[in-house]
C-alpha cells in the first residue's frame, strides 16, 4: 500500500534520533534558538505582549511553561501563544526564503514549552527543533510562492506543521498519532496577509505554535483525523495551494537539511526592505551622501517584495516595518535603521514624511525573489546605483557568530540581567550537554525592579 505524505512524515519524525543528525546541522538549531530567545525577549516589551498577558486570568491552567521575559508561568498552550506572538512582534526573527516562512517563531515556542514541561534534555530539543524545521520548510517549499500570492501568510499556514512535528517528537507520539496530528493541524490552517502591519501578524506565529501543541495533545488521546490532509480531494494542496509541487516534498528527507538555508535578520523590519536599507547605508558610507543631497530615489523590486513592502504612506507603527519607503527614509535621515526607530514619532516626523515622498518603487519583472536595484539622484546631478542580489544575513552573506551574539545581547540586556544573557549564550553553545532545558529557560526571567 502506498503511504500518504503524512504517514511518511510521521515515520521520519518517529524514527529520527539525535545521532542521525550531522553535527554541522545541529549547530544551526542552536543559532536559531539563540536568535529566537533574543527576539522574544525584545518582543516582550511590545504592547501586544501585555495584551495577551492580561488574558492569563481566563486562560489559566497549570504553570507548565515560562512566558519569556515576563517571569510568569502558564499552561503550555498559552505560553506557546504568547511567546510565539512576542517573538514575531519586532519582525526581527529568522526567515527561510525558499519556504517563504519565519520558521522559528512557530516551532520554537511549541518545542520550548513542551521541552520545559517534559524537562527534556538539550539533545531532545535539538532533535525536535530540526525535525520541526525540516517538516515546515519542505511543506513551504512545496506550497510555493503562489500560496503566498493567494493572500495566505505562509508563516501561519505552514509554520504550525513545524510546531506540531517538534511537539510530537518531544511528547513521544506513535506514528499513527502523528498522522492524526497532521490532520488536526491541517484543518486549523489560517492566517491572511491582509493583517500585515497590525498586531494580528505576530499573532499568526503564536497561534501556529499553540495549534501545534493542541494538535498533538488531542492526537495523543487518540483524537483522529484524515490521513490524506495534504493530497486528499479537499486537502491542503487542492484547497490552499493547487499549483504546489507536493511530489518534491519528501525528496532527501533525513539526508538533505533545509535548516542550512536559514537567514537571520540584521534589521527589525520586513525582509524585503533589507536590501534597500543595506544599499543606502553603503551609499552613505562610500559616497558620503546625506538626506539633504537627495533629489529622488528609485527602488526596483521583483513581484514578491513589490507586493509586500510598497507602502508609501504607512499609517501605523507596525505598518512602517512593511514600508520600504519609510525604512529607506529612516536610513537616509538617521544614518541607520535600529529596532528602536519604529515609533509614532518617526512615523509622523515631517522630515521622514517628506523623504518618503521622494522615493518611488517600481516593479521589475526581471528581478528574482529579493533582488533589488536602488538608484539615487542627487541635487548635484549625480546618479548612484546599487544592485543587491542577496541581503546581509542571508545564507550567502551570513551574519557572523559575533554579530549574532551582539544582536542577542542588544535585545536581551534591557529585559534580563546581563549575566543571565551571557549564561544563555554559553549554555546554548553546549546545548547538547544540558540535561534539562529549564537550566536555560529559567535565565529568561526579567530584571527585578
Amino acid at each position: 500500500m502506498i503511504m500518504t505524505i503524512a504517514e511518511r512524515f510521521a515515520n521520519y519524525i518517529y524514527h529520527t534520533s539525535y545521532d542521525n543528525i550531522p553535527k554541522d546541522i545541529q549547530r544551526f538549531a542552536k543559532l536559531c534558538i539563540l536568535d529566537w530567545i533574543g527576539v522574544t525577549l525584545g518582543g516582550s516589551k511590545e504592547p501586544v505582549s501585555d495584551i495577551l498577558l492580561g488574558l492569563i486570568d481566563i486562560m489559566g491552567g497549570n504553570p507548565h511553561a515560562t512566558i519569556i521575559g515576563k517571569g510568569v508561568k502558564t499552561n503550555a498552550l498559552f505560553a506557546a501563544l504568547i511567546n510565539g506572538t512576542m517573538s514575531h512582534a519586532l519582525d526581527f526573527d529568522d526567515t527561510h526564503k525558499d519556504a517563504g516562512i519565519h520558521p522559528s517563531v512557530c516551532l520554537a515556542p511549541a518545542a520550548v514549552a513542551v521541552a520545559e514541561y517534559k524537562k527534556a534534555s538539550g539533545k531532545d530539543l535539538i532533535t525536535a527543533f530540526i525535525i520541526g524545521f525540516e517538516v515546515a520548510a519542505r511543506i513551504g517549499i512545496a506550497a510555493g510562492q503562489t500560496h503566498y500570492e493567494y493572500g495566505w501568510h505562509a508563516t501561519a499556514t505552514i509554520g504550525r506543521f513545524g510546531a506540531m512535528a517538534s511537539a510530537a517528537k518531544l511528547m513521544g507520539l506513535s506514528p499513527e498519532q502523528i498522522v492524526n496530528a497532521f490532520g488536526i493541524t491541517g484543518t486549523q490552517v489560517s492566517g491572511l496577509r491582509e493583517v500585515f502591519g497590525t498586531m494580528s501578524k505576530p499573532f499568526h506565529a503564536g497561534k501556529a505554535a499553540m495549534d501545534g501543541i493542541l494538535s498533538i495533545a488531542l492526537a495523543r488521546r487518540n483524537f483522529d483525523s484524515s490521513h490524506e490532509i495534504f493530497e486528499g480531494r479537499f486537502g491542503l494542496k487542492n484547497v490552499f495551494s493547487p499549483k504546489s509541487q507536493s511530489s518534491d516534498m519528501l525528496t532527501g528527507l533525513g539526508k538533505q537539511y533545509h535548516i542550512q538555508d536559514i537567514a537571520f535578520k540584521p534589521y527589525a523590519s520586513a525582509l524585503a526592505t533589507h536590501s534597500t536599507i543595506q544599499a543606502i547605508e553603503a551609499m552613505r558610507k562610500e559616497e558620503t551622501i546625506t538626506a539633504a543631497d537627495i533629489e529622488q530615489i528609485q527602488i526596483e523590486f521583483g513581484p514578491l517584495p513589490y507586493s509586500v513592502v510598497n507602502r508609501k504612506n504607512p499609517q501605523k507603527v507596525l505598518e512602517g516595518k512593511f514600508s520600504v519607503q519609510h525604512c529607506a527614509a529612516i536610513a537616509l535621515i538617521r544614518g541607520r535603521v535600529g529596532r528602536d526607530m519604529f515609533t509614532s514619532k518617526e512615523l509622523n516626523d515631517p522630515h521622514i514624511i517628506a523623504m518618503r515622498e521622494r522615493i518611488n518603487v517600481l516593479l521589475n519583472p526581471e528581478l528574482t525573489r529579493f533582488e533589488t536595484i536602488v538608484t539615487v539622484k542627487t541635487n548635484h546631478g549625480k546618479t548612484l546605483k546599487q544592485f543587491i542580489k542577496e541581503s546581509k544575513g542571508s545564507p550567502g552573506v551570513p551574519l557572523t557568530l559575533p554579530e549574532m551574539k551582539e544582536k542577542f545581547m542588544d535585545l536581551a540586556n534591557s529585559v534580563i540581567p546581563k549575566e543571565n544573557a551571557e549564561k544563555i549564550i554559553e549554555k546554548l553553545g553546549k546545548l547538547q550537554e544540558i540535561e534539562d532545558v529549564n537550566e536555560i529557560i529559567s535565565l529568561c526571567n526579567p530584571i527585578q525592579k
Side-chain angles (χ1 to χ4, degrees), residues 406-426:
E406 183 182 359
K407 174 184 174 180
F408 175 82
M409 292 300 292
D410 177 59
L411 288 160
N413 276 344
S414 62
V415 183
I416 63 174
K418 183 179 179 181
E419 58 268 29
N420 283 21
E422 291 171 344
K423 285 179 183 177
I424 290 171
I425 293 175
E426 178 188 347

Side-chain angles (χ1 to χ4, degrees), residues 394-406:
S394 298
V397 197
L399 294 181
T400 64
L401 183 57
E403 287 172 332
M404 294 283 295
K405 290 179 179 179
E406 183 182 359

Side-chain angles (χ1 to χ4, degrees), residues 6 23-24 31 34 36 39 66 84 112 120 134 168 174 192 224 248 269 275 280 301 313 330 398 400 414 441 444:
K23 292 290 186 291
D24 61 322
L31 289 173
L34 174 69
W36 175 77
V39 296
T66 299
V112 168
E134 293 307 311
S174 69
L192 299 171
D224 70 351
D248 298 333
S269 58
S275 51
I280 290 173
F301 283 133
N313 297 298
I330 292 175
T400 64
S414 62
I441 303 307
C444 296

Side-chain angles (χ1 to χ4, degrees), residues 67 104 107 135 164 217 255 278 288 295 327 332 357 389 398 403 407 420:
I67 300 175
S104 293
L107 74 92
V135 168
M164 182 280 295
K255 296 178 181 178
Q278 185 178 324
T288 62
E295 179 183 316
C327 292
L332 279 162
E357 289 300 318
K389 183 173 181 61
E403 287 172 332
K407 174 184 174 180
N420 283 21

Side-chain angles (χ1 to χ4, degrees), residues 431-442:
L431 181 57
Q432 70 280 2
E433 299 173 15
I434 300 292
E435 292 297 323
D436 181 350
V437 296
N438 284 281
E439 275 187 50
I440 296 171
I441 303 307
S442 64

